[in-house]
Amino acid sequence: MSKHEHVSLSVIRRLPRYYRFLGDLVKSSVSRISSRELSQRMGLTASQIRQDLNCFGGFGQQGYGYNTRSLQGEIGSILGVGGEYPAIIVGAGNIGRAIASNIDFGNMGFNLVGIFDVNPEIIGTKIKDVTIHDISSLEEFCKKKHPMIAVLTTPRDAAPDIAERLAKLGIVGFWNFSHYDLSVKYPNIAVENVHLGDSLMTLCYMIKNIGGEVTGDTNNV
Amino acid sequence: MSKHEHVSLSVIRRLPRYYRFLGDLVKSSVSRISSRELSQRMGLTASQIRQDLNCFGGFGQQGYGYNTRSLQGEIGSILGVGGEYPAIIVGAGNIGRAIASNIDFGNMGFNLVGIFDVNPEIIGTKIKDVTIHDISSLEEFCKKKHPMIAVLTTPRDAAPDIAERLAKLGIVGFWNFSHYDLSVKYPNIAVENVHLGDSLMTLCYMIKNIGGEVTGDTNNV
């Protein structure tokens, strides 16, 4: 058990944003920033930022602000992004392909070791150096490579069977794009659901009700 | 100005989830549900659900629970999902393609009227009946079709120029996958940012720190 176990998930969800914003500051050679300045850039209040970072012991020095590089490093280490958890993608359709091509697994704590699909036309091909395997070889592959997380990008109907197989193979986390509700059946596996449609509906609401006076990050509320 | 203008964005962000869960219940012929049952299915507390729905006047009847179909209808109408705001996608790479293929714009309040890209090899082709146009025809197209929102799936470097052109063309909302920070420059345009990497980093944290004892929805905190 970790020292962070009682930190609320809403605080945790803001950490990747801090990590990104601080990374941008480091790249722009900004070495120090006050909580007030950081809050303005991120659309949070300064007291929110101080509260969030205090959950992990606090990193700032009264009157001097935060050292961007060391704060980014600390947050990265809390998130575990220096790790190399083996990951697989199951489903090489449009979403799976977009994720394999666009997500920088290496910088997020993961190592993408395989992609699986049922379509014989794409089996054996590669996306960014990672081979697409036949789903029938899933068990054999997992017993060798021991992936810890699976990105589930199959159609919803295919998800229950695949999830069952992956659970038996020792997967500890699902990044779930399938819209199939995994958490009820697998309470001991971490599940992060992504519903892009929810984000689009929120934009619909903003346009209809607020006329463009707000902005929001999906992970920023 | 609408009657919902003072509802917090965190409540708004839960509405699409209610809408989805209620839709599933309606499909399964569940016509009535208590806030307690609904809360168990959704991983929220019953009091949270009552509070959320009270922001919009409340829909339940003490002791009788909610009528699933009418509640879903009400929430849909609050979100504006019955509308048909014209939408375009700018960038037909992997992400743009995945969104055009997988997101059911019609059921989310939008009507996808065009896709734009710079790649001559795909200009003129279609994704699900929607034509990919040359980005050079953006102005001409927008003056005819008046899209209200743009899904921005270009590389980050291309985003500033495209956003500027779209802002001049009267776009009122960006669904922003480009990682370029639009909200500073366009405070009067609604911006919904999507950072999938943030969601993956959250999963990384869960695995590292909690060992699979939690689950979460990107829009559920």
Side-chain angles (χ1 to χ4, degrees), chain B residues 134-184:
Chain B
D134 190 321
I135 191 70
S136 68
S137 66
L138 185 67
E139 279 72 14
E140 190 191 346
F141 182 95
C142 290
K143 282 170 190 164
K144 271 190 209 147
K145 303 272 187 174
H146 306 287
M148 289 180 70
I149 73 147
V151 186
L152 215 57
T153 55
T154 64
R156 184 169 172 164
D157 291 349
D161 172 57
I162 294 290
E164 186 68 25
R165 288 167 68 184
L166 289 166
K168 280 187 191 150
L169 289 162
I171 285 288
V172 299
F174 284 115
W175 197 21
N176 181 24
F177 289 75
S178 76
H179 294 201
Y180 169 67
D181 187 358
L182 294 160
S183 51
V184 178

Side-chain angles (χ1 to χ4, degrees), chain A residues 20 77 193 198 208 217, chain B residues 20 77 175 193 198 208 217:
Chain A
R20 270 196 287 115
S77 131
N193 296 309
D198 287 8
K208 178 170 163 264
D217 262 31
Chain B
R20 270 195 288 116
S77 129
W175 197 21
N193 296 310
D198 286 7
K208 177 170 164 264
D217 264 31

